[in-house]
Amino acid sequence: MPQVVRSRNGALHGPSPVPPLPHRFRSLADRESVEVLHRAARVLVASLPALTDRLVEALYAQEPAYRAAIDSDRAEVWQEVHHSLRHNVGSLIQPREFRESAHRTSRWIGEIRAEQGVPLDAVLHAFRMGGAMVWQDLVDETARRDPDDIRLLVHVAADVWNFVDEHCGVVADAYRQAERRLSWRRENRQRLMVAALLDGTARIADLAEAAEMLGLPEQGRYAVLAVAVGPRGPGAVAAGGGHGAVLAAESDAGAARHGPGPAARPPVALPAAHPGATALWHPGPDAEFAILPLTGPPGELSELAAALDVPAGTRAGIGSAVEGLAALGDARRLAETALRACPASGGTVLLDEHLPDALVVSTPALAGALADRVLGPLDRLDPADRDVIVETLTAWLDADGSAQRAGARLYCHRNTVLNRLRRFEQLTGRCLTRPRDAVEVSLALAARRLLGT
């Protein structure tokens, strides 16, 4: 324990401050030594302003973490130190009367310093400096009155330092509790801000604060990644709308699922080299969302989609790029559209590369009507026969209209492919060489695949 000041009595300075002992010890205090302690402590109470001045000066000189607070408002720090000394020195004289108020003061100091961001080590150092200064003054005052009484004062040294240790524990406990509360509030505020941005309800006036809070540029380029595990639910293909309030409400559910901070384990692994590797994740009712900052070339999203590590059975959708934090609500809706365009078996869909599928899932009622109109005649066939024709149509379209490549994919001759296509045309009245019909067939097949109509 450092000796903060030199004795004012030269050779009669008495013993150096004694370090605190463990809580379990045998007190050597007797009635005579306690009386010596009380006499010296009463003198300290009478000279508290001077003691406070010296301790504030010592804190300024020896504890850098307190200098900013003292420079900012010396009077406030002085009052805090004076209040603490008054209750703590009073506890040495009347422990029953002052103990609880002294504990309240120490708890209050721990909470205040946590809110101000003063390191806990600095706060505990300040308390121990105060304890060392009080002990030194007790020794000096006892030596001034009667040097022979110092031997009696030593008997209460362990009690005094145990008292200092007790208050350091009170301060540390209050500090850590306040720190946890502050951390939860900060992280909860961040969750709510992210929810408002993704919901599209963040106020323009709050965007600068949001940018600072989240460490994101207000006018940067962004995309949103939506990730869901398992097959699409019954309502997952519905067009967006009315989702924002649910997303904001799910912020609290996300806190329960992931704890007070961001998700401990994101549902997909982002490439380490991509700026979005440190993306902000946020839980929604049907999916997890990640805000992806974009800083690269136009093809950056394509590269990200290709490198995305998506576990089996997980669906991931990446929306188009948008400009600025204010557009993140649009980016989220685009990501949800991409997610709805994902196959039920899982995979990654980049919206910009699957726009026809996005059109289908964005208007499921119209897409279902188109599928019934174009493919309805096939439903009258035997299911196995119908599936062969649909599979052939899909392979032919995927092969850019090449019967040769479609046959290779289906392990059949190109003429078999052509015969099946002609049969489809006869059943439906569509002509696959007519561009309009080919587009309708392609969209109808996408509707059957994505909507299950």
Side-chain angles (χ1 to χ4, degrees):
M1 197 60 58
Q3 184 170 340
V4 180
V5 292
R6 290 183 177 274
S7 168
R8 295 187 296 272
N9 294 283
L12 299 178
H13 68 278
S16 299
V18 180
L21 298 178
H23 288 291
R24 289 187 177 184
F25 68 95
R26 178 175 172 272
S27 175
L28 301 177
D30 54 23
R31 185 167 60 87
E32 193 176 2
S33 59
V34 169
E35 288 176 357
V36 170
L37 171 67
H38 285 179
R39 281 197 300 270
R42 289 189 187 97
V43 175
L44 263 63
V45 170
S47 60
L48 272 182
L51 176 59
T52 303
D53 286 340
R54 287 189 289 118
L55 181 51
V56 170
E57 288 299 328
L59 285 173
Y60 191 86
Q62 299 184 33
E63 184 45 71
Y66 269 77
R67 283 181 198 150
I70 295 173
D71 285 335
S72 174
D73 195 337
R74 191 181 193 90
E76 181 184 355
V77 176
W78 193 97
Q79 288 293 341
E80 175 189 304
V81 172
H82 184 269
H83 197 63
S84 178
L85 286 173
R86 180 162 60 86
H87 285 86
N88 290 335
V89 175
S91 294
L92 297 178
I93 305 170
Q94 297 174 290
R96 290 185 179 178
E97 290 79 356
F98 280 88
R99 187 175 187 274
E100 184 54 39
S101 60
H103 277 196
R104 282 199 302 270
T105 300
S106 295
R107 283 195 294 268
W108 174 74
I109 291 173
E111 292 172 355
I112 289 296
R113 291 306 174 207
E115 292 174 1
Q116 294 173 343
V118 178
L120 177 57
D121 286 347
V123 181
L124 295 178
H125 183 210
F127 262 75
R128 292 189 176 106
M129 287 174 65
M133 185 171 285
V134 167
W135 173 252
Q136 185 65 56
D137 280 13
L138 291 171
V139 170
D140 290 349
E141 177 57 30
T142 302
R144 186 186 66 79
R145 278 178 171 271
D146 187 348
D148 290 340
D149 283 347
I150 290 179
R151 62 181 178 80
L152 296 173
L153 188 64
V154 171
H155 291 176
V156 298
D159 300 83
V160 172
W161 282 104
N162 189 64
F163 175 85
V164 174
D165 240 12
E166 176 186 338
H167 278 265
C168 284
V170 171
V171 168
D173 184 61
Y175 186 101
R176 294 187 181 103
Q177 288 184 22
E179 199 173 39
R180 285 192 292 270
R181 287 195 303 269
L182 291 168
S183 177
W184 184 89
R185 288 173 190 165
R186 183 171 55 252
E187 291 165 351
N188 190 55
R189 192 177 175 198
Q190 175 177 305
R191 273 197 307 274
L192 293 174
M193 182 61 74
V194 172
L197 289 171
L198 291 172
D199 184 17
T201 58
R203 299 181 304 175
I204 297 298
D206 293 336
L207 292 180
E209 180 187 359
E212 182 178 0
M213 182 191 307
L214 303 176
L216 298 173
E218 184 177 348
Q219 300 303 327
R221 289 175 61 247
Y222 297 97
V224 170
L225 165 67
V227 180
V229 179
R232 295 185 294 268
V237 296
H243 180 59
V246 180
L247 177 62
E250 282 292 314
S251 180
D252 291 335
R257 198 156 70 240
H258 298 305
R265 182 180 297 175
V268 300
L270 293 161
H274 192 272
T278 55
L280 288 172
W281 286 94
H282 188 83
D286 301 311
E288 302 272 346
F289 297 94
I291 298 175
L292 305 175
L294 303 177
T295 58
E300 180 180 10
L301 282 179
S302 297
E303 296 176 3
L304 173 63
L308 203 61
D309 185 8
V310 180
T314 298
R315 296 176 293 114
I318 304 175
S320 304
V322 298
E323 296 290 337
L325 291 177
L328 281 178
D330 295 333
R332 189 215 84 222
R333 285 184 284 274
L334 293 172
E336 287 180 317
T337 300
L339 184 64
R340 291 195 297 271
C342 278
S345 58
T348 302
V349 165
L350 176 60
L351 184 66
D352 291 347
E353 297 176 357
H354 293 80
L355 292 176
D357 288 352
L359 286 173
V360 167
V361 297
S362 296
T363 54
L366 292 177
L370 176 64
D372 290 341
R373 180 179 177 86
V374 174
L375 302 177
L378 299 183
D379 293 336
R380 294 190 291 269
L381 299 176
D382 179 86
D385 197 13
R386 177 198 60 207
D387 292 345
V388 167
I389 294 178
V390 169
E391 182 184 26
T392 303
L393 270 172
T394 302
W396 180 75
L397 289 169
D398 289 343
D400 298 325
S402 169
Q404 185 73 34
R405 292 202 300 273
R409 184 173 302 181
L410 297 172
Y411 302 101
C412 64
H413 196 273
R414 65 181 297 275
N415 289 341
T416 303
V417 172
L418 293 174
N419 289 335
R420 292 173 182 172
L421 296 180
R422 277 194 294 270
R423 188 179 180 204
F424 168 77
E425 291 177 329
Q426 292 168 357
L427 290 169
T428 62
R430 305 284 166 170
C431 178
L432 295 174
T433 58
R434 188 182 302 138
R436 180 187 179 92
D437 285 359
V439 169
E440 290 184 352
V441 169
S442 178
L443 292 175
L445 288 171
R448 283 283 174 97
R449 172 171 49 87
L450 296 170
L451 307 180
T453 58

